[in-house]
């Protein structure tokens, strides 16, 4: 209630008193929520909707804001406390949301983390005052670097989450020595174009660099650096002498540009590194050398309205890339030695183009719709979670929405490439006659063709059919009719699919 209405956590004494009043049953929780919300009943429904959803971190979202406003009008704003309780509980359960609700997964993670941090704050007897308004945590000090040679010792920082700030180009230099001490400390620095710096950093966990074109940040003097990102890039930049244990990333894109990464301890034939994209857009690219395995996280940054990361990955030595996260990703991967891509842990759409790859194995999931452009050579595509409650909900409203729900493969070569479909239920191929297939192909729309394929093929069947210049494979769930929990794969430009080119289990 405090986080939803006040964006604040109560003092320990206040929390203990309210905890006793709230009780432990759903009924007593609802009564407390009703009572708590009553103090805000003088606000208009629109103001209440904006306040609650904003504090929960799910705005901007005009449709949702209007829906909650209308709901408050319907149930009466006297019940705003109960509405806030319901919204908080719904959001808490959306960390692993799929389909249309996947857009809330990042906000759900942040909301749950906020609740845990808020609880920890309010249950600490040392906190005799409410927390500051805003995200809960243990804020530390902000230490400003100067244009001179700075030395910051652990005694000058706190045991909490400090910020080392060099907001103007020239304030961070190779002569600077910073010891963040305890807590999770972050360096935020701006580098001018073509500037090269190599500061000495100890116990600085994160470094976010606003890099001008041609700027270089050397991590040779950094001990314990966990996360190193270019922030709102103004052009191409370089991170050098980076430890393999440090995650490299691009966030909150500005003009964008290529980020070249040079790892200090990459050697041998089995090096692994981690990359993160957080609101990367436009011309962003990460160029990585001498790394065989890349783990790529696609997540949200701070740019309002950004729902898809867009970045190119160039990794000459990469043999395996794993994608994960809750933000959609559009990427072109240039990696001539690449043999495996595993995107089964990515909870949002992957729009993947392979550049210069041959003979690759790709693993996807059917939680969301993906688009993959295959490269040359014999490729194998594995799609798990087809047809069932775990699969994405297909939108059967129109032909266009159905087409958008399909997993789309382009560059698939029948007789060379192989598609393996794994269904949630035991599933077999449907054997249809030429007349039945002709009837499906002659349907008036893709929606009509898929509907006919489902009823002709039957329950727990996979049906391959041609429609237009493409081949589709419909994986039917336990109902012998087209439904939202079925799955559809489009093989773009494939007019004839050999039986040996696809399997289903």
């Amino acid at each position: 209630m405090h986080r939803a209405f006040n964006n604040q956590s109560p003092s320990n004494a206040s929390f203990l008193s309210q905890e006793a009043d709230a009780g432990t049953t759903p009924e007593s929780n609802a009564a407390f929520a009703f009572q708590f919300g009553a103090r805000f009943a003088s606000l208009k429904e629109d103001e209440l909707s904006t306040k609650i959803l904003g504090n929960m971190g799910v705005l901007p979202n005009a449709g949702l804001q209007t829906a909650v406003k209308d709901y408050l009008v319907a149930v009466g704003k006297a019940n705003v406390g109960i509405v806030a309780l319901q919204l908080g509980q719904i959001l808490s359960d959306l960390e692993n949301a799929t389909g249309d609700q996947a857009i809330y997964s990042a906000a759900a993670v942040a909301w749950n983390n906020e609740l845990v941090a808020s609880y920890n704050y309010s249950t600490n007897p040392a906190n005799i005052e409410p927390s500051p308004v805003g995200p809960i945590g243990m804020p530390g000090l902000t230490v400003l670097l100067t244009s001179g040679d700075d030395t910051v010792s652990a005694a000058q920082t706190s045991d909490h989450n400090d910020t080392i700030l060099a907001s103007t180009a020239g304030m961070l230099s190779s002569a600077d020595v910073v010891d963040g001490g305890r807590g999770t400390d972050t360096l935020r620095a701006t580098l001018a174009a073509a500037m090269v710096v190599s500061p000495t950093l100890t116990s600085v966990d994160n470094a976010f660099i606003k890099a001008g074109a041609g700027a270089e940040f050397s991590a040779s003097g950094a001990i314990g650096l966990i996360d190193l990102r270019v922030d709102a890039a103004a052009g191409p930049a370089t991170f050098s002498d980076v430890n393999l244990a440090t995650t490299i990333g691009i966030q909150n894109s500005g003009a964008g540009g290529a980020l070249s990464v040079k790892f200090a301890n990459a050697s041998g034939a089995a090096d692994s590194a981690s990359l993160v994209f957080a609101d990367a857009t436009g011309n962003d690219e990460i160029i990585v050398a001498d790394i065989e395995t890349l783990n790529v996280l696609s997540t949200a940054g701070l740019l309002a309205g950004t729902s898809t990361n867009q970045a190119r990955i160039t990794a000459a030595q990469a043999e395996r890339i794993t994608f994960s996260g809750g933000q959609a990703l559009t990427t072109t991967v240039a990696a001539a030695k690449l043999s495996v891509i595993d995107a089964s842990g990515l909870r949002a759409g992957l729009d993947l183009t392979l550049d210069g790859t041959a003979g690759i194995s790709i693993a996807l999931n059917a939680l969301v719709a993906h688009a993959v452009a295959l490269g040359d050579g014999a490729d194998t595509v594995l799609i798990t979670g087809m047809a069932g409650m775990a699969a994405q909900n297909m939108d059967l409203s129109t032909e266009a929405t159905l087409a958008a729900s399909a997993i789309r493969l382009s560059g698939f070569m029948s007789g060379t490439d192989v598609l393996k479909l794994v269904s949630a239920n035991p599933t077999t191929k449907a054997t249809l006659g030429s007349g039945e297939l002709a009837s499906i192909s002659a349907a008036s729309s893709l929606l009509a063709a898929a509907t006919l394929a489902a009823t002709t093929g039957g329950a727990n069947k996979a049906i391959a059919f041609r429609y237009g210049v493409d081949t589709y494979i419909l994986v039917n769930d336990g109902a012998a009719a087209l439904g939202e929990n079925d799955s559809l794969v489009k093989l773009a430009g494939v007019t004839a699919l050999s039986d040996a080119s696809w399997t289903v289990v």
Side-chain angles (χ1 to χ4, degrees):
M1 292 293 100
H2 280 277
R3 299 311 307 180
F5 284 97
N6 302 322
N7 203 20
Q8 189 178 38
S9 302
S11 67
N12 177 251
S14 181
F15 173 80
L16 293 177
S17 173
Q18 292 178 352
E19 184 185 45
D21 291 339
T24 58
T25 67
E27 292 78 10
S28 60
N29 284 340
F32 177 82
F34 180 86
Q35 216 172 35
F36 193 99
R39 70 189 74 175
F40 300 94
S42 61
L43 297 177
K44 297 178 181 178
E45 289 86 350
D46 186 68
E47 294 172 322
L48 289 169
S49 174
T50 301
K51 172 187 279 290
I52 294 169
L53 294 176
N55 288 340
M56 288 183 178
V58 294
L59 294 183
N61 187 322
L64 180 62
Q65 194 274 341
T66 299
V68 173
K69 178 201 72 175
D70 292 343
Y71 184 54
L72 286 170
V73 171
V75 302
K77 62 181 181 179
N79 292 302
V80 67
I82 296 177
V83 172
L85 177 62
Q86 293 170 338
L87 290 172
Q89 291 170 333
I90 291 170
L91 182 58
S92 286
D93 290 334
L94 294 180
E95 282 197 10
N96 298 307
T98 61
D100 293 342
Q101 293 184 325
I103 61 172
Y104 299 110
S105 60
V109 172
W111 172 247
N112 288 334
N113 289 339
E114 183 175 335
L115 294 181
V116 171
S118 180
Y119 178 81
N120 291 338
Y121 180 93
S122 296
T123 55
N124 185 347
N127 291 323
I128 60 176
E129 296 291 338
S131 72
V133 174
I136 186 65
M138 295 296 289
L141 302 174
T142 297
V143 179
L144 301 178
L145 299 185
T146 70
S147 57
D149 298 343
D150 298 299
T151 298
V152 179
S153 69
Q156 295 171 276
T157 60
S158 74
D159 290 343
H160 303 312
N161 305 334
D162 302 315
T163 298
I164 314 300
L165 188 60
S167 56
T168 302
M171 288 186 172
L172 181 68
S173 71
S174 298
D176 292 334
V177 179
V178 177
D179 186 343
R182 299 177 63 180
T184 301
D185 305 309
T186 300
L187 169 68
R188 296 184 179 274
T190 298
L191 302 184
M195 178 179 286
V196 179
V197 298
S198 180
T200 300
L201 306 176
T202 303
S203 298
V204 174
D205 305 271
N206 311 308
F208 301 142
I209 309 298
K210 293 184 182 297
E216 179 176 343
F217 177 89
S218 171
S220 60
I223 300 175
L225 188 59
I226 297 172
D227 196 338
L228 173 60
R229 304 186 192 184
V230 63
D231 184 8
T238 300
F239 288 159
S240 60
D241 299 308
V242 181
N243 192 286
L244 281 173
T246 302
T247 295
I248 299 298
I250 295 176
Q251 68 179 22
N252 309 322
S253 291
L259 172 62
S260 297
V261 184
K262 303 174 182 178
F263 288 96
N265 53 339
S267 61
D271 293 312
S272 177
S274 296
L275 309 179
V276 60
F277 296 118
D279 289 354
T281 60
N283 298 318
D284 289 318
E285 178 182 11
I286 289 187
I287 302 172
V288 180
D290 302 323
I291 301 298
E292 285 73 37
T293 298
L294 285 176
N295 302 303
V296 181
L297 175 67
S298 179
T299 188
L302 300 176
L303 298 181
T306 302
S307 60
T308 301
N309 284 306
Q310 302 175 53
R312 181 182 176 91
I313 300 172
T314 299
Q317 303 300 317
E319 299 171 3
R320 179 185 181 94
I321 298 180
T322 299
F323 292 103
S324 62
Q327 182 102 318
L329 175 63
T330 297
T331 185
T332 295
V333 174
K337 295 185 178 181
L338 190 63
S339 60
V340 176
I341 286 183
D342 185 353
S344 58
L346 184 64
R347 304 186 306 277
L350 175 65
D351 189 337
L352 171 68
T353 300
L354 300 175
D355 182 0
T357 60
I360 194 169
S361 175
I362 301 175
L364 305 169
N365 62 54
L367 294 175
V368 290
H370 306 288
V372 176
L374 298 173
D376 297 330
D379 304 316
T380 299
V381 181
L382 171 70
I383 307 177
T384 61
M386 302 287 287
M389 295 301 294
Q392 88 149 348
N393 292 331
M394 290 204 306
D395 190 338
L396 307 180
S397 304
T398 65
E399 180 172 24
T401 59
L402 173 62
S405 300
I407 296 174
R408 301 174 295 283
L409 302 180
S410 59
F412 187 91
M413 299 295 293
S414 179
T416 300
D417 300 327
V418 174
L419 176 62
K420 298 181 179 180
L421 306 176
V422 180
S423 177
N425 299 318
T427 302
T428 57
K429 291 183 179 181
T431 303
L432 304 184
S434 58
E436 292 172 315
L437 290 172
S439 295
I440 296 172
S441 297
S444 59
S445 68
L446 174 61
L447 181 57
T451 300
L452 183 57
T455 55
T456 305
N460 296 320
K461 292 290 186 179
I463 308 100
F465 62 93
R466 178 180 169 181
Y467 184 77
V469 296
D470 309 306
T471 292
Y472 292 84
I473 300 176
L474 175 70
V475 183
N476 218 355
D477 63 6
L482 186 65
E484 65 174 7
N485 291 323
D486 297 336
S487 295
L488 187 64
V489 177
K490 175 182 179 180
L491 304 179
V494 176
T495 56
L497 179 64
S498 70
D499 190 63
S501 290
W502 69 289
T503 61
V504 61
V505 294

